[in-house]
Amino acid sequence: MAVEQTDSTQPLNGNLLIKLLAFTLILSSMSATMFNIVLPEIRVDYDLSVAQVSWVSTSYLLIYAVGSVLYGKLLDRYQAKNLITFGLLVFASGSLLGLFAGSYAFVLMARILQAVGAAVIPALAMLIPVRFFPPERRGHALGISATGLALGNAIGPIVSSLLVSFVHWRWLFAIPLLILITLPYYRKYLNTEIRAGGSIDWLGGGLLAGTVALLLLAITQSNWWLGAGSALLLLGFSLRIRMASDPFVSRTLMRDRIYLTGLMIAALVMSVSYALPFLTPQLLSGINQLEPGWVGFVMVPGACVSAYLGRKVGKLADAKGNSFVYHTASLLLFSCFLLLSLFVGSPAVIIGFIFTLGNVGQMFMQIALSNTISRSIPKDQIGVGMGLMTLCNFLAGAISTGIYGKIMDDGADVSWIPWHSNEASYVFSNLYLVLAIIHVGILLLYRSVFVSRKKADAAAQGMSRQ
């Protein structure tokens, strides 16, 4: 049987449910980032090449990205409590397998199982605020979930560094087992409403999953043949949407100009914003000559401030509207990139302060866009609609990382700032300026679609009242 949770049907304790989700996001985001720090140790233990050990992270990313949209579709059809139960149990099984793994094959299998289970979490993180909270309280719920994500990103590297200082890196697999504590509460507080359901277009879902998997592999492996395969599967997915009676992604959703523009804006924002966590460590280590531990110390306050402000920003979105929060986020991110461009080579404490501005701006943007896009999706497509947004964010981050890496490798001969004398800083300064300008373009696109639409709706309502 399939289920649908309407806006009018609230959980018995919505505040507890969203806080439970925040705790789940902390553990899942920690699990995604903790192993990046110990990849050199895994490589030494199993005598691996860099390419081989990278699959510890690559396999997790591939399955996590594809799974988020597949689970999103399933959440449109089946009970959320059953899907989260399945996901968390698989996630815990992978963690347990990794804890006792004696070979690299078992470590890789453990990470794959973790990703298969954990992929339900971003789908649920998008679903709960949208389906279980009315529009006037949705920003508050999204703010709390953003807080959990920010906390996990902040403390993941710290916990990983501390733990491996005392015990073997395999004990990192033990931390995600704490997520089982949440399972009884999800079973209790995830209310369900039964309705007649339809079949799922598994062929369409498989074509979409293959498109994404091959694209991510093409990016990480720099393989044009994989990219061509991804394009071919994308063509097949597009034809499947036209031909299937009940396609994996509805034709109505794929023809919705507002929704598609929202996805494009979210992807553009993510691709630009991803420059912060990708470029900042290289800036601090390459220009400021900081050790890895000090680089993390400079970046952690940004995540902590974002976590502290998460709930407040959510309430601000409910009180002032998504447009206000988006414009604030755009101003913060524009200021961050422009200041980084101007002050490349400044003391690390200044770079850390500017980075914090950008991190807070990212959190503002995430809440505003999630809230805005969710309102353009039909109720029976909420799961897959928000899952596609998560998927687009993953792809944008992966593609932009490859682009930024290529730009950094090519370097720059001149800088637009006359007083920069260090040639190593030229590429950072120029790139940050371009990203600041791109944010202005994205803001204009947002205004042309969502602000103009809001004004047109308000004018239409005024005329109808007359």
Side-chain angles (χ1 to χ4, degrees):
M1 296 294 290
V3 300
E4 179 185 11
Q5 188 78 28
T6 64
D7 287 339
S8 59
T9 305
Q10 297 299 311
L12 294 175
N13 194 329
N15 287 331
L16 176 60
L17 185 60
I18 200 66
K19 290 175 182 176
L20 195 65
L21 176 62
F23 178 72
T24 307
L25 285 167
I26 291 173
L27 292 176
S28 66
S29 59
M30 285 176 62
S31 178
T33 58
M34 284 190 304
F35 286 87
N36 294 337
I37 293 177
V38 298
L39 289 181
E41 295 186 34
I42 298 176
R43 180 188 175 193
V44 171
D45 282 359
Y46 297 114
D47 193 22
L48 304 171
S49 66
V50 174
Q52 288 174 322
V53 78
S54 68
W55 278 99
V56 171
S57 297
T58 302
S59 62
Y60 192 96
L61 174 64
L62 279 170
I63 297 170
Y64 199 76
V66 172
S68 62
V69 69
L70 295 179
Y71 276 116
K73 181 64 176 181
L74 292 173
L75 284 167
D76 286 330
R77 290 284 189 266
Y78 301 105
Q79 293 187 18
K81 65 169 63 179
N82 291 338
L83 286 174
I84 191 64
T85 299
F86 171 80
L88 294 188
L89 287 178
V90 173
F91 185 43
S93 299
S95 302
L96 197 61
L97 175 63
L99 186 60
F100 296 102
S103 66
Y104 178 63
F106 278 99
V107 171
L108 197 56
M109 190 183 302
R111 288 294 282 170
I112 291 173
L113 279 175
Q114 278 190 321
V116 169
V120 73
I121 298 171
L124 195 70
M126 290 292 186
L127 184 85
I128 286 179
V130 172
R131 187 178 288 179
F132 290 83
F133 288 83
E136 63 271 13
R137 292 193 63 229
R138 194 170 295 166
H140 171 67
L142 287 167
I144 294 177
S145 61
T147 298
L149 191 62
L151 276 175
N153 290 333
I155 66 178
I158 298 174
V159 171
S160 178
S161 299
L162 290 175
L163 192 63
V164 297
S165 299
F166 298 100
V167 295
H168 194 270
W169 57 262
R170 274 198 298 269
W171 282 98
L172 293 177
F173 281 106
I175 295 175
L177 291 173
L178 294 173
I179 211 166
L180 292 177
I181 298 172
T182 66
L183 192 52
Y185 298 97
Y186 279 123
R187 300 287 304 177
K188 179 178 180 180
Y189 290 105
L190 274 175
N191 291 354
T192 56
E193 198 174 87
I194 305 298
R195 66 166 185 150
S199 60
I200 293 180
D201 176 22
W202 291 110
L203 176 57
L207 288 170
L208 178 60
T211 299
V212 175
L214 288 182
L215 179 58
L216 287 173
L217 285 173
I219 295 168
T220 56
Q221 305 297 317
S222 299
N223 189 313
W224 289 105
W225 288 106
L226 292 174
S230 175
L232 187 63
L233 289 181
L234 178 61
L235 177 61
F237 177 68
S238 301
L239 293 174
R240 181 64 182 174
I241 290 178
R242 294 175 178 271
M243 297 172 58
S245 57
D246 184 15
F248 188 82
V249 182
S250 74
R251 285 182 285 271
T252 303
L253 194 61
M254 288 292 94
R255 292 169 182 166
D256 188 331
R257 184 178 67 88
I258 301 298
Y259 171 72
L260 293 178
T261 306
L263 283 188
M264 182 173 65
I265 292 173
L268 288 172
V269 167
M270 175 58 67
S271 63
V272 175
S273 300
Y274 211 82
L276 281 176
F278 180 75
L279 294 178
T280 306
Q282 298 184 58
L283 171 66
L284 292 170
S285 60
I287 306 299
N288 295 85
Q289 300 295 312
L290 293 185
E291 295 293 329
W294 285 105
V295 170
F297 182 78
V298 171
M299 296 178 65
V300 163
C304 293
V305 172
S306 297
Y308 172 75
L309 293 177
R311 293 181 62 181
K312 299 181 186 298
V313 176
K315 292 180 180 179
L316 189 64
D318 293 334
K320 297 285 189 178
N322 295 318
S323 180
F324 176 83
V325 174
Y326 182 92
H327 282 77
T328 304
S330 187
L331 177 61
L332 287 170
L333 285 166
F334 173 80
S335 301
C336 170
F337 285 119
L338 183 60
L339 290 172
L340 283 173
S341 179
L342 290 169
F343 294 104
V344 166
S346 297
V349 65
I350 295 177
I351 301 298
F353 174 76
I354 300 173
F355 175 80
T356 299
L357 287 179
N359 226 8
V360 172
Q362 283 182 315
M363 188 260 299
F364 270 62
M365 192 73 77
Q366 176 190 345
I367 293 173
L369 285 175
S370 297
N371 212 352
T372 299
I373 293 173
S374 70
R375 299 190 184 197
S376 66
I377 305 174
K379 291 179 180 178
D380 62 341
Q381 291 284 312
I382 283 291
V384 70
M386 297 303 287
L388 282 172
M389 177 183 170
T390 302
L391 180 60
C392 287
N393 288 344
F394 273 117
L395 291 176
I399 293 172
S400 62
T401 299
I403 294 174
Y404 298 144
K406 177 63 175 175
I407 293 173
M408 294 298 298
D409 289 339
D410 292 342
D413 297 326
V414 295
S415 172
W416 77 283
I417 301 294
W419 59 79
H420 283 165
S421 58
N422 185 349
E423 293 186 6
S425 67
Y426 290 176
V427 65
F428 287 102
S429 180
N430 295 344
L431 183 53
Y432 283 134
L433 176 65
V434 171
L435 294 173
I437 295 172
I438 291 175
H439 254 299
V440 175
I442 298 173
L443 175 61
L444 294 176
L445 177 61
Y446 176 89
R447 289 185 59 83
S448 69
V449 176
F450 293 105
V451 177
S452 300
R453 178 193 179 198
K454 185 177 180 180
K455 291 180 179 178
D457 291 343
Q461 290 178 3
M463 293 179 62
S464 63
R465 289 173 183 171
Q466 293 176 359

